[in-house]
Amino acid sequence: MSLYIEAARIIQRPRYGGLRGAVFSDASVKSRPEQLYALIIETLKHQEIINEVLDKSGLLEIEKKLTHALALVLVHDFLFNKGGIATSTGPLKESILRHKSRLTSEFTRARLRRGYSTTAALLAAANATSMRFPRWVRVNTLKTTVADVLARHFSDHKPVRLFEELLSEDMTRKTVYVDEFVPGLLGFPASTELIGHALVADGTLFMQDRASCFPAALLAPPEGAVVVDGTAAPGNKTTHLAAIVGKGGRVLAFEKDPKRAKTLEMMVGKAGAEKIVEVRAGADFLLSDPWSETEKKRLAKVSHILLDPSCSGSGIVERNEYSYIPKTAAPPPAPTSRAGKAKKRKGGEKEETPFVKPLSKKEEEEVAKQAEAEEERLRSLSTFQTRIIKHAMRYPGAHYISYSTCSVHSQENEQVVMAVLSSEVAKQRGWRVQKREETGFRHWPRRGLVEECDGDEEIAGGCVRFDPWADGGIGFFVVLFVRDGSVDGWEGRGFIVFDIEH
Ligand SMILES: C[S@@+](CC[C@H](N)C(=O)[O-])C[C@H]1O[C@@H](n2cnc3c(N)ncnc32)[C@H](O)[C@@H]1O
């Protein structure tokens, strides 16, 4: 299958996570993944001007065999690639080269309309603004205050009041957005260079994605609280929790993987939170036992638990990615007939079939095998995720548990919430999902999927979702489980580490 047909297939198919994963983990891909990925990224970056060229030249009306996505990738290489379309002669290349002069002149007009005298100037400008996602930094309030950071280090940045203003601003301008949901979170335009910034190096600022700050902010333990981070490394949320509970509080941070625990320790040191955070390196949260003689004094006091367990990572989107905007709302037709073959309409009139080559039997089998493996992986992740929440629900003093994933799959999100709520421990101890109107995030627009919560709007409303494109970062999910009342008659019966309820 040609590079272009593969690129068009990946561009137009529904995608839940990042493009890198879509390209590099697709077993049916025959092209060099690096080349395919670069072609897709670059095409999507320039799709706005290519679309204008397509519209003005009328290419899609004339070349009926070309789908929109296929035309985008071919015209991209025709206009922007030094070597032109990277294939020997063939019907695909011909369908573009037939319109060479028209495409070139429409491109020149579109370029000049944008004020670029050369293609190099247009490319340079596009590359400078290609980072679409804002940069997020969390102010480490153990070391300083937001007001101080803004006044002393970013006084040349113009404050914007709404997040939309940050996105719509020229991403190279000096602006700063103080997040309205997460205290201490600042958003900067994508071009802002923060990686080598002295405040990042000394732990005054933490580069942490917006969505990733929601779990600790939603959990919102009071100052001085004793809290657990059950799955802590590398430590973004642990250090955030430390800043919230402050010097009089305690964060018990479990990390099963000893190597990752080293990073956690380093991060805690950088945050200046060594006296607040107790790193439990190599400790499995699932084996923690708040009734044991050695632990009961400490773990029984824990009121708030943060769980951000391992997940599929399907929400992670790379900063240089753009999403495909289809030309029509309708999905592309399924590739059922052979490539380029004409088929008859009901009235006998011939209809051109889009130039989408169907997968071979072997390729179809590979795709099915891959989908089955992915399903299996999600099943095992969601079993683990459900199990770890149920374990936390047994903690005698716990009243608040935040659960989050950087996954967009409902199997790891709403479906886990529903499985947990129907468990014995949740029912016996009165755990429920905190309602939307009870949280500080009630105005956040994106909530859980009602259909994945068995139609329960209250539960879905209590869940928070992030869309990478609209919310500026990664696809994410977070929910807060709460338990009312302090006495529930629960004496830890059944709290056996290996019990069957797990
Ligand atoms: C998604 S990462 C957590 C990211 C972290 N919350 C942050 O914001 O930096 C999940 C972590 O949980 C750890 N983990 C997985 N299972 C665990 C368990 N049973 N007990 C403790 N840690 C576990 C993994 O090794 C991994 O480091």
Side-chain angles (χ1 to χ4, degrees):
M1 190 182 288
S2 108
L3 172 72
Y4 297 101
I5 291 177
E6 287 195 325
R9 186 164 61 82
I10 289 174
I11 282 179
Q12 66 192 10
R13 83 177 168 212
R15 184 159 49 81
Y16 303 104
L19 265 172
R20 185 171 278 281
V23 171
F24 284 82
S25 60
D26 184 338
S28 72
V29 159
K30 296 283 178 292
S31 314
R32 259 194 324 114
E34 297 79 13
Q35 190 187 9
L36 185 60
Y37 179 66
L39 171 63
I40 295 173
I41 290 278
E42 288 302 308
T43 299
L44 294 182
K45 189 196 291 178
H46 297 295
Q47 66 184 315
E48 191 249 342
I49 193 164
I50 303 175
N51 274 332
E52 190 174 317
V53 173
L54 290 180
D55 284 345
K56 299 271 179 200
S57 65
L59 183 80
L60 287 169
E61 279 81 61
I62 309 164
E63 295 293 340
K64 295 246 190 290
K65 287 199 254 175
L66 286 177
T67 59
H68 173 237
L70 193 47
L72 273 183
V73 286
L74 287 163
V75 173
H76 169 272
D77 268 11
F78 171 69
L79 297 174
F80 293 102
N81 191 22
K82 275 201 182 110
I85 297 172
T87 173
S88 50
T89 48
L92 273 187
K93 191 170 180 172
E94 277 311 304
S95 65
I96 302 299
L97 294 189
R98 265 197 291 276
H99 310 279
K100 199 172 169 178
S101 48
R102 198 188 312 207
L103 290 171
T104 311
S105 58
E106 288 305 343
F107 174 60
T108 306
R109 281 194 197 105
R111 171 166 59 71
L112 292 175
R113 267 195 291 275
R114 286 164 176 74
Y116 300 110
S117 55
T118 61
T119 302
L122 179 125
L123 282 174
N127 288 338
T129 55
S130 68
M131 296 296 189
R132 297 265 312 280
F133 297 127
R135 299 262 183 202
W136 296 102
V137 287
R138 175 173 58 76
V139 176
N140 179 9
T141 50
L142 290 173
K143 292 197 172 181
T144 186
T145 62
V146 174
D148 188 59
V149 166
L150 288 177
R152 294 189 26 186
H153 304 279
F154 296 102
S155 57
D156 55 344
H157 282 59
K158 181 183 138 229
V160 289
R161 217 175 47 79
L162 297 171
F163 171 62
E164 289 69 26
E165 290 179 69
L166 179 66
L167 278 189
S168 62
E169 282 282 346
D170 171 355
M171 290 298 250
T172 60
R173 296 239 320 259
K174 284 194 164 184
T175 50
V176 57
Y177 161 72
V178 180
D179 194 87
E180 63 210 280
F181 295 97
V182 179
L185 181 66
L186 304 175
F188 292 93
S191 60
T192 313
E193 208 36 88
L194 290 163
I195 289 172
H197 201 287
L199 296 185
V200 173
D202 74 6
T204 303
L205 297 180
F206 276 85
M207 291 189 70
Q208 186 171 346
D209 193 79
R210 186 188 202 191
S212 156
C213 293
F214 266 49
L218 184 65
L219 189 63
E223 263 186 69
V226 181
V227 308
V228 155
D229 185 342
T231 50
N236 287 305
K237 297 172 190 74
T238 306
T239 49
H240 192 184
L241 279 175
I244 296 174
V245 297
K247 298 207 163 100
R250 204 84 179 122
V251 183
L252 310 172
F254 289 78
E255 175 47 54
K256 193 174 161 186
D257 182 335
K259 240 166 110 185
R260 286 174 66 85
K262 291 253 174 276
T263 314
L264 173 64
E265 274 163 5
M266 192 268 292
M267 195 113 155
V268 169
K270 201 168 155 185
E274 299 96 327
K275 293 207 171 114
I276 305 170
V277 179
E278 176 183 309
V279 173
R280 297 189 162 199
D284 185 338
F285 176 68
L286 282 170
L287 299 181
S288 65
D289 179 358
W291 278 273
S292 70
E293 274 314 308
T294 47
E295 289 277 39
K296 72 179 176 203
K297 274 210 179 109
R298 301 172 64 63
L299 296 187
K301 277 193 205 153
V302 168
S303 53
H304 295 66
I305 302 177
L306 187 144
L307 295 173
D308 181 44
S310 315
C311 72
S312 65
S314 59
I316 294 171
V317 171
E318 302 224 2
R319 296 177 55 78
N320 59 349
E321 284 187 17
Y322 281 67
S323 59
Y324 167 59
I325 303 145
K327 265 216 153 314
T328 54
T336 45
S337 52
R338 294 201 75 75
K341 217 177 169 185
K343 67 178 181 195
K344 282 203 168 176
R345 280 206 189 125
K346 271 189 190 148
E349 174 196 345
K350 273 190 179 171
E351 182 194 357
E352 293 284 357
T353 309
F355 214 120
V356 179
K357 195 175 161 201
L359 297 183
S360 69
K361 203 163 167 32
K362 197 163 159 250
E363 285 168 337
E364 259 171 23
E365 278 167 15
E366 273 170 18
V367 172
K369 228 163 82 190
Q370 202 192 354
E372 180 49 42
E374 177 63 7
E375 269 305 311
E376 186 45 46
R377 180 168 162 253
L378 288 180
R379 261 197 299 276
S380 106
L381 279 167
S382 74
T383 304
F384 159 70
Q385 291 151 349
T386 306
R387 191 176 156 204
I388 208 159
I389 303 173
K390 288 199 294 188
H391 187 77
M393 284 183 164
R394 293 160 187 273
Y395 266 58
H399 280 80
Y400 302 89
I401 300 169
S402 76
Y403 168 71
S404 52
T405 71
C406 52
S407 165
V408 291
H409 295 305
S410 54
Q411 290 98 315
E412 298 177 87
N413 300 330
E414 291 88 348
Q415 289 182 27
V416 166
V417 171
M418 297 312 282
V420 165
L421 290 178
S422 66
S423 69
E424 277 309 302
V425 62
K427 285 186 192 152
Q428 285 187 20
R429 303 201 73 201
W431 285 102
R432 63 179 176 85
V433 162
Q434 190 182 46
K435 292 183 200 145
R436 178 175 184 163
E437 60 274 18
E438 293 169 341
T439 76
F441 297 94
R442 64 186 74 95
H443 299 301
W444 182 260
R446 251 162 295 292
R447 316 305 297 195
L449 307 175
V450 179
E451 65 277 18
E452 297 293 345
C453 297
D454 301 340
D456 191 318
E457 291 185 8
E458 197 168 272
I459 297 177
C463 302
V464 170
R465 268 185 176 261
F466 279 78
D467 176 278
W469 312 106
D471 304 321
I474 56 175
F476 203 80
F477 177 90
V478 57
V479 65
L480 186 68
F481 294 101
V482 294
R483 184 169 71 84
D484 305 311
S486 56
V487 181
D488 58 10
W490 175 267
E491 285 153 12
R493 274 175 299 111
F495 194 96
I496 304 165
V497 172
F498 299 108
D499 77 3
I500 46 160
E501 242 255 282
H502 281 138

